[in-house]
Amino acid sequence: MNRIKVRPIVAMAFLSQTLFALLSRPLLADEPLDFFESRIRPVLIEHCVECHSAETEASGGLLLDSREGWQAGGDSGASIVPGDAAASRLLTAISYDEPKLQMPPDGKLPAAILNDFTQWISSGAMDPRQSARPLSPKRVGMLVDQAQEHWAYRDLQTVEIPTFESPAPANSAVHVADTTPVDAFINQKLSERGLSSAPAADSSVLARRLYHDLIGLPPTPQELNHAIELLNSGELGYEQLVDGLLRTTYFGEHFARKWMDVARYADSVTLRGFVLPEAWRYRDYLVQAFTNDRPFDQMIREQVAGDLLSYENLSQRHQQLVATGFLVMGNTNLEQQDKTQLEMDYIDEQLEVMGRAFLAQTIGCARCHDHKFDPIPTRDYYALAGIMRSAVALEHENVSKWVERPLPLPAAEEKVYAQLTDDLTQLKKQIAQLNKQTNRKTVVSQKSISVSELPGIVVDDSAAKLVGSWTLSSTVGPYVGAGYSHDADDGKGAKTATFEPNNLPPGQYEVRLAYTMGTNRATNAMVRLFSADGEATILVDQTREPAEDGHFVSLGKYRFEKDGQAFVLVSNANSDGHVVVDAVQFLLVPESTPLLATSTSTTTTSPTTTTTSLTATGDAAPGERISASTEPTSAKLSLSPEQIIQLEEQLKGLEKRRTELEKQLAKRPKYLTLVEENTPSDIPIHIRGDVHNLGQTVPRGFLTALKRDDTPAIAAGTSGRVELAQWLSSSSNPLTPRVYANRVWSWLMGQGLVPSVNNFGTTGVAPTHPELLDWLAGELVRSGWSTKHLVRTILMTDAYRRQAVEADERQLEIDPSNTLYWRGQSRRLSAEALRDSMLRISGELDMTVGGSLIPESTKADYNFQHSSTRRSIYHPVFRNSLPELFEAFDFADTSISTGQRPRSTVATQALVLLNHPWVAQRAKAAAERLRQTYGTNDSRALVCGLYVECVGREPTVIELNSCIDYLHGSDSESQGDPSPERLQLLVHSLFASLDFRYLD
């Protein structure tokens, strides 16, 4: 698809005048300098140097902003050969002679400009321009053999825990001898910088912090009192509180939501708002995995290759299969008509999310060229892409669709569904027989016919190579797939559609063309068929109903050989109406059947009958015509009206039964996944990322910068996805444990030891505490990749418990961003925590675990009403329809892997909390619950209860008195009930307060 470049109107007008002036001038063959300056340089500036210049790092390595640039050539070699226009790839590109090489991408240049470039190159390509700076070798990033120079690619270091005398912070009961290993590393840095640590937070503050960090919910007053008692009882009480929260399902829900950011989880795609009805199973898999503390290395293997792993029971198999949803959550353009491009885009997205999630590497940057900064050559990219190429994640039609498969079930349930499937198969046969008896065409009753329902090898128009502007439509049925394409009855001779099957086995085939008939169709649509016997040209009358099943017309029978030509090309040249292309079907002919060419010219004898002459002499006659309404060779059955009525009644009953069976089968649980169907094979490098410009084939493998002695070898005959999962989850892979340890640290401490959580490359930020990071990564591996152990290790530190206090100017000057963790980090609650907190305080929060909240009737996500009171994690994440609260408070971008959400502070946030009806409704419900819980006779108790529930502490004296005065209005001394409306507004004001929105 051509890219459209929008330019200012004034610039366009100036360009038009300039081009007119240039093109109207006579050729100046005897003035090469003037010719270049007037004819060539303006075109290069306008159409080429934006991408092909030294300033823009040159697409494909080709520089066109200087003579030295194009003389050096690009990735594909010399682009301009002075004196030889035919050998110059630049001229080939701008002439659009090769479909795979067409420049500029936003449209072919006028013929006059092409003639100018031809003359310029033929006359020696005179170019007076010199590079503004000396040309140096192409800039490359860190080479593979230099990888060990960067901290992230080195093996995990066995670090020694620091031991030194460090004074305890003021007002702290912590003793140096009791300092944890984590604190030893933190305090060493503080000592080196001359910083003192802040005291521990108050028990109420720490309790609220623990609840939100571990389960994403505020403590109830009862829970808060119990937590304070435990915290005041000493270290053992602190441990009991932490362990108790870690054991809850709420912990699994909270940490699952954090990983969902990384996995770019969503329940829909942006395109047309298509809903992914089975995505929720992956979310529930994460909740269960984090709740049960499944080893994270096991979770990696399940998410990358769960469908290929061995298993011991059905429950484990379900987890493995559902986990593969991680790979297919991408927000891809399913309308892409170049399906080869679409598949590669899909793989690119998979590699990018795996790279960022597990390795914190921007692998996708190496798709078109060697990574500019990190030791990831293009060869490594395609080595990884080759692994993913075997897994089919899309079912192609005009608009491709994701893959869903039925979950395996216990034997008894499998038997039931197998019987239903068999019943449906037999029923369809009965329906087909009755249709045949009544001369009904089965497919006519279906507007859309799935490719999978058709016999033989079918190439849909969505998989065809379309040249020119074709219009997608689904107005007239029946059609194959999601629709058909037509030429809009214009651009005659400029539009073609090529249908080429992949790896067609040799043999004799009947070839059929599918189209939708209509009175505005062409009577002479030109079809050219290329086979082992040569080329045949057939004219198809598309105003008549196709003879085969009401949709296909036979083009004849042809022989195809291995690696020989095998494709059908439909052209709109000289057509007298709309040319329609829908699909081409190849049906294998038994060897005993004689090979028939298509008919010679036909003569129409009436509006409904056509006489056709078939020959067996080899190639079809050029320009032969096929009329679609030719009578079938078999005689039609003669039935009385009564018999026809009886058969129609039978058909109605069978059709009704078929609908019932299909509804029952539709209830079978499915999951979102990919399927290992393509034959494992290596793939070539795509030069400049172009799927149609192939280079050297690369063996499947992994990032060579991380190659170790135990790097798994890809077994023969396998894709390598299992080995990829093993390599990613290996303890000897230095990136994976570092990345996950840093990720968990950032979830609990507000920022990572490596602040660029998703980028450990050379453009990322170096770790503030590299030794601590390696120690935590090692501790993760030593614990069996236990997330809960790592969380507990961090929470037991003094660094986690510190108070978020303001410090003197000297401390702030040394470490203003608190990267050394000398004090606690004030953090805003996430959008989900804000919503869930309001619902919990109002008493409306539904704590049901798991399941889908998407109604079966929901086919698109636009304007979806999020009305449930379930925890936020269970609400559909619709890319086109997020709750306004989520949008205002920096919800994760669901189209990319998010390591850390943005932190904006804008007026919209305050306005949403103050004015949104949903917030007002929660405040009203909370006010009513507070009145019932605390009564209305004691305003002091009511206000204290309100503060404890909302912000986890008692109000100050000033706050208490101000609130009581407000509740009673001018009659502040009255013992009467406080105003319900004022209580609601008071609750609402606390919901909008900083104390509610922030921890500490």
Side-chain angles (χ1 to χ4, degrees), residues 831-909:
E832 299 96 315
L834 286 173
R835 177 186 175 277
D836 292 347
S837 295
M838 293 183 208
L839 285 171
R840 194 174 209 200
I841 293 166
S842 70
E844 300 171 287
L845 185 60
D846 181 351
M847 302 297 283
T848 304
V849 176
S852 175
L853 295 181
I854 304 175
E856 290 185 10
S857 60
T858 305
K859 303 303 179 185
D861 66 2
Y862 296 109
N863 301 316
F864 182 82
Q865 299 300 312
H866 298 268
S867 57
S868 172
T869 58
R870 294 276 301 278
R871 279 202 75 173
S872 296
I873 184 176
Y874 296 115
H875 272 247
V877 181
F878 283 153
R879 285 180 165 124
N880 293 308
S881 188
L882 286 173
E884 292 176 350
L885 191 68
F886 286 17
E887 292 180 337
F889 284 95
D890 303 321
F891 190 75
D893 184 345
T894 57
S895 294
I896 60 173
S897 173
T898 301
Q900 188 147 1
R901 293 185 183 181
R903 300 171 183 173
S904 66
T905 301
V906 293
T908 309
Q909 294 162 350

Side-chain angles (χ1 to χ4, degrees), residues 660-923:
E660 293 173 352
L661 288 174
E662 288 174 342
K663 287 182 178 179
Q664 287 180 275
L665 284 169
K667 294 180 181 179
R668 174 165 186 161
K670 297 180 181 179
Y671 64 102
L672 184 66
T673 189
L674 38 68
V675 183
E676 197 82 2
E677 288 185 350
N678 292 335
T679 302
S681 62
D682 301 329
I683 65 173
I685 292 174
H686 299 166
I687 298 174
R688 296 185 298 278
D690 183 353
V691 296
H692 303 297
N693 190 7
L694 305 181
Q696 181 183 8
T697 298
V698 177
R700 283 162 288 153
F702 317 114
L703 297 184
T704 49
L706 297 174
K707 188 174 183 180
R708 300 295 189 271
D709 292 338
D710 60 349
T711 298
I714 297 176
T718 66
S719 64
R721 191 149 52 92
V722 171
E723 290 83 355
L724 172 61
Q726 293 171 342
W727 174 74
L728 286 170
S729 61
S730 172
S731 59
S732 66
N733 184 332
L735 281 177
T736 308
R738 278 193 183 113
V739 168
Y740 190 61
N742 184 67
R743 206 179 288 286
V744 173
W745 179 275
S746 72
W747 291 343
L748 298 171
M749 302 295 287
Q751 60 188 3
L753 294 170
V754 180
S756 53
V757 181
N758 263 17
N759 185 2
F760 276 31
T762 58
T763 59
V765 182
T768 56
H769 300 73
E771 296 84 4
L772 173 57
L773 178 61
D774 275 18
W775 186 87
L776 287 170
E779 187 68 10
L780 172 68
V781 174
R782 289 187 292 272
S783 70
W785 293 79
S786 167
T787 299
K788 288 187 177 182
H789 174 81
L790 188 60
V791 169
R792 194 177 188 277
T793 299
I794 297 171
L795 294 185
M796 298 309 298
T797 64
D798 297 335
Y800 174 79
R801 294 183 247 189
R802 286 179 181 138
Q803 193 178 75
V805 297
E806 293 295 333
D808 58 40
E809 293 183 3
R810 188 188 71 83
Q811 299 246 123
L812 288 174
E813 185 177 348
I814 295 174
D815 185 21
S817 300
N818 194 33
T819 59
L820 300 180
Y821 305 98
W822 53 272
R823 60 187 173 99
Q825 190 78 14
S826 181
R827 290 170 285 145
R828 191 178 68 199
L829 298 183
S830 67
E832 299 96 315
L834 286 173
R835 177 186 175 277
D836 292 347
S837 295
M838 293 183 208
L839 285 171
R840 194 174 209 200
I841 293 166
S842 70
E844 300 171 287
L845 185 60
D846 181 351
M847 302 297 283
T848 304
V849 176
S852 175
L853 295 181
I854 304 175
E856 290 185 10
S857 60
T858 305
K859 303 303 179 185
D861 66 2
Y862 296 109
N863 301 316
F864 182 82
Q865 299 300 312
H866 298 268
S867 57
S868 172
T869 58
R870 294 276 301 278
R871 279 202 75 173
S872 296
I873 184 176
Y874 296 115
H875 272 247
V877 181
F878 283 153
R879 285 180 165 124
N880 293 308
S881 188
L882 286 173
E884 292 176 350
L885 191 68
F886 286 17
E887 292 180 337
F889 284 95
D890 303 321
F891 190 75
D893 184 345
T894 57
S895 294
I896 60 173
S897 173
T898 301
Q900 188 147 1
R901 293 185 183 181
R903 300 171 183 173
S904 66
T905 301
V906 293
T908 309
Q909 294 162 350
L911 292 173
V912 166
L913 290 177
L914 287 172
N915 300 319
H916 200 285
W918 187 89
V919 180
Q921 291 165 6
R922 303 293 75 73

Side-chain angles (χ1 to χ4, degrees), residues 930-931 934-947 955 959-961 963-969 971-979 983 986:
L930 288 168
R931 288 171 64 87
Y934 299 99
T936 57
N937 295 328
D938 187 348
S939 297
R940 180 180 298 273
L942 183 59
V943 172
C944 288
L946 169 63
Y947 265 78
E959 290 169 337
L960 178 62
N961 293 333
C963 290
I964 292 175
D965 289 345
Y966 175 76
L967 287 176
H968 291 279
D971 190 14
S972 60
E973 300 297 325
S974 172
Q975 296 300 312
D977 290 351
S979 163
L983 178 58
L986 184 58

Side-chain angles (χ1 to χ4, degrees), residues 53-54 56-61 75 138-143 362-363 365-378 762-763:
S53 70
T56 59
E57 294 298 326
S59 175
D75 294 345
K138 295 176 188 176
R139 191 182 82 178
V140 296
M142 177 177 284
L143 300 177
T362 53
I363 294 176
C365 294
R367 180 178 182 178
C368 301
H369 48 70
D370 289 349
H371 201 294
K372 293 291 185 182
F373 307 104
D374 298 335
I376 307 176
T378 304
T762 58
T763 59

Side-chain angles (χ1 to χ4, degrees), residues 73-343:
D75 294 345
S76 301
S79 292
I80 299 175
V81 181
D84 190 349
S88 299
R89 289 181 61 79
L90 175 67
L91 191 61
T92 301
I94 65 175
S95 300
Y96 276 47
D97 289 341
E98 291 185 13
K100 301 176 182 179
L101 181 62
Q102 296 180 345
M103 292 291 167
D106 52 357
K108 186 178 178 180
L109 299 174
I113 292 181
L114 301 182
N115 291 335
D116 285 347
F117 271 79
T118 301
Q119 180 174 341
W120 173 60
I121 295 173
S122 299
S123 62
M126 190 277 175
D127 185 352
R129 300 172 302 162
Q130 294 183 356
S131 177
R133 53 188 171 90
L135 287 181
S136 57
K138 295 176 188 176
R139 191 182 82 178
V140 296
M142 177 177 284
L143 300 177
V144 171
D145 57 9
Q146 298 173 324
Q148 292 300 306
E149 297 176 12
H150 185 60
W151 64 269
Y153 305 119
R154 300 172 192 150
D155 290 337
L156 288 180
Q157 302 298 305
T158 302
V159 293
E160 185 176 344
I161 300 172
T163 55
F164 63 96
E165 291 296 327
S166 176
N171 304 321
S172 174
V174 177
H175 299 288
V176 176
D178 299 330
T179 297
T180 68
V182 172
D183 286 316
F185 289 106
I186 295 291
N187 292 339
Q188 182 183 45
K189 288 284 186 180
L190 295 179
S191 178
E192 291 173 356
R193 299 294 299 276
L195 291 169
S196 60
S197 58
D202 293 339
S203 296
S204 60
V205 172
L206 192 54
R208 185 169 183 253
R209 184 189 299 177
L210 284 168
Y211 266 79
H212 275 288
D213 282 345
L214 288 179
I215 67 173
L217 295 169
T220 65
Q222 296 77 16
E223 290 170 338
L224 181 62
N225 289 334
H226 178 65
I228 292 174
E229 289 179 5
L230 289 175
L231 293 174
N232 290 337
S233 68
E235 194 70 9
L236 183 59
Y238 183 86
E239 292 181 13
Q240 290 176 354
L241 177 59
V242 169
D243 291 341
L245 293 173
L246 286 174
R247 284 193 296 267
T248 65
T249 302
Y250 308 145
F251 168 82
E253 292 171 333
H254 186 51
F255 270 63
R257 180 56 261 183
K258 292 180 179 298
W259 182 255
M260 287 159 67
D261 282 8
V262 182
R264 76 322 186 194
Y265 176 89
D267 291 279
S268 70
V269 295
T270 301
L271 174 68
R272 305 190 189 182
F274 287 139
V275 173
L276 304 172
E278 304 298 337
W280 64 273
R281 296 187 189 276
Y282 173 72
R283 177 206 63 209
D284 283 6
Y285 157 83
L286 293 176
V287 172
Q288 183 188 51
F290 281 108
T291 299
N292 297 334
D293 198 21
R294 185 169 300 148
F296 189 70
D297 62 336
Q298 180 183 338
M299 290 179 64
I300 294 174
R301 292 190 291 272
E302 290 171 346
Q303 292 176 88
V304 174
D307 56 315
L308 305 178
L309 300 178
S310 60
Y311 55 95
E312 297 178 357
N313 52 58
L314 193 59
S315 175
Q316 183 184 16
R317 187 58 177 164
H318 278 190
Q319 295 166 9
Q320 293 171 343
L321 294 175
V322 171
T324 59
F326 167 80
L327 293 173
V328 291
M329 292 282 174
N331 194 20
T332 311
N333 177 21
L334 303 177
E335 282 186 320
Q336 168 65 258
Q337 294 303 299
D338 186 337
K339 300 306 178 182
T340 303
Q341 179 71 42
L342 173 57
E343 289 174 355

